[in-house]
Structures are given as C-alpha cells and as structure tokens.
Amino acid sequence: MNLNFIMEEEKRLKEAVAQEYQDTSGGSEPIYDGVVNPELYVASAPRILWVLKEPYDNGESYGDSRDGGWSLTDDCMNKKTDETSRGRAFQPICYVNYGIWSGVHDWDEMPWLRNSDEIRSGLKKIAFINISKLPGLKYTPWNRIVEAYQRHRGIILDQIKTYAPNIIFACDPQANLIREDWGIPFTQWTWFGSAACVQISTEQRLVWVSHPSSRKKRADYVNDAINAATAQLEK
C-alpha cells in the first residue's frame, strides 16, 4: 500500500463521483467519501473500510438545493474528528475499530469513548464510503440503496479495490450485494451473534453488521462485529 498511489487515486475517484452521481432534479451535489486520512490509513494494520448507505445533510426532501458539495471523510471525520466520533452512527464504529487494533475484544473492558482520544481519533485511520453519495434523509428506504448500488456499482467496487482493505464492514443490503458481485454463495456466511463474515482471500474479509445507528445493545453490536472480523475460520 503506497501513500502517493492512494492520494492520486482519491483525486481520480472524486472526479468520477462528481461525473456519475448526478441529481436529476438539479438540486443536490455529491457528498464525497473515501479514505479519511491517507497517511494514517496506509500505516494502519489491519486496514478497515466501512460501507454504509447514504449521507445526510439536513435536507427535508431529496434534491434539496442546500445539500451536498462537501466531503464527509475530510470535512467531518478528518478535520472534526472529535465532534464526528460522538455521533450516534460513529460511536459503534470507533469502538469496533479500537477493539480490532488494540486487541481488546470486549466492549466492557474498553474505556469510554468520551474519555479516550485513542478511540475517537481512530476514525482518522479508516476508509468510509456510502453506496448513494447524494444527500439522503434520516430514514433510508431499502430499495433506494439497491437501486443506487446497481446504478453505481462500478465506482463502489472501484473504491473497494483501490483502498484494498483487510476488513470490510457493510450493512444490508450492500453487504449481500457486494457478496453476490464477488460470486460468493449466501451459505458461506459464518455467524457470530448479530454479525457474520465471509473470507474473500487470505488478506481480505467481508463482515456483515447491522447499521451502526441501529438500536441494538452497544456491547453486543461491538463484540459481535469484532469477533466476526477477527475469528479464525475453518477452511
């Protein structure tokens, strides 16, 4: 994994997103995503990617002309890490990341996010992409994400290939859409409570989790996700 390569590829991918993610109503611009901090991502081990559904930008309806035109990963996760890490959807992500990197696989043994700069700042070390990159609403219809994936799967798969993550976390429907694109049967999922995983290669694993903003018990969500990401699987 090369820092210059990632930085150049991020420029290419941003241009591709700007060209492809067009709001047909003419109101919104894309909200960009990708590697949060390229230098930290390249140095991280394992490299972690989260694939979620769509970003939110305070709009009351799709196509709100006030929406978009900024970067979720750079403007929020990189430059406003502390504030962003405290958001409902990002807290579980921070705990899961920390557990994998630190080797602490039990949420009850972790420090509180509010008291740990290490947990919060880990947000800078990951890659993060949304299936739909146009501003969405607080509730995302399942079929909207399926349609967005089918329309933009080329860019989504390009991002995943470019970032070469070792662990890919994804909620549904995209977890199974990605799995299907890679030709892996549904029966290959190995379950760990509320999470599941499938080994893509010796260097890469796909982990199916609920959306991090779901109302699942925090300890169960974090522990199940970590176990699915790190457990030794039978061949």
Side-chain angles (χ1 to χ4, degrees), residues 51-178:
V51 185
L52 297 190
K53 296 180 178 181
E54 65 180 359
Y56 175 66
D57 194 14
N58 300 312
E60 298 299 324
S61 62
Y62 292 118
D64 190 323
S65 60
R66 297 169 296 173
D67 291 345
W70 50 278
S71 170
L72 175 62
T73 43
D74 188 31
D75 295 327
C76 292
M77 299 170 70
N78 188 39
K79 295 177 180 176
K80 298 180 179 179
T81 313
D82 193 76
E83 177 184 346
T84 303
S85 68
R86 299 172 192 266
R88 177 178 170 184
F90 290 100
Q91 288 187 33
I93 291 174
C94 289
Y95 281 116
V96 171
N97 297 338
Y98 171 79
I100 292 171
W101 289 322
S102 70
V104 180
H105 293 175
D106 188 341
W107 183 78
D108 289 326
E109 297 178 4
M110 298 180 188
W112 292 108
L113 178 142
R114 63 176 177 266
N115 297 330
S116 174
D117 179 70
E118 182 179 2
I119 292 180
R120 298 192 304 273
S121 63
L123 208 56
K124 289 185 175 183
K125 296 166 60 177
I126 66 171
F128 183 102
I129 65 178
N130 282 302
I131 299 301
S132 174
K133 303 183 192 302
L134 291 172
L137 303 181
K138 291 183 178 180
Y139 170 75
T140 302
W142 192 86
N143 64 333
R144 175 176 167 83
I145 299 307
V146 173
E147 292 171 1
Y149 183 88
Q150 292 170 341
R151 187 179 307 116
H152 305 297
R153 60 184 292 277
I155 284 184
I156 299 301
L157 296 176
D158 190 0
Q159 286 184 295
I160 295 173
K161 181 179 179 180
T162 299
Y163 303 150
N166 303 117
I167 302 171
I168 305 165
F169 289 101
C171 53
D172 217 27
Q174 59 268 30
N176 278 299
L177 293 170
I178 293 169

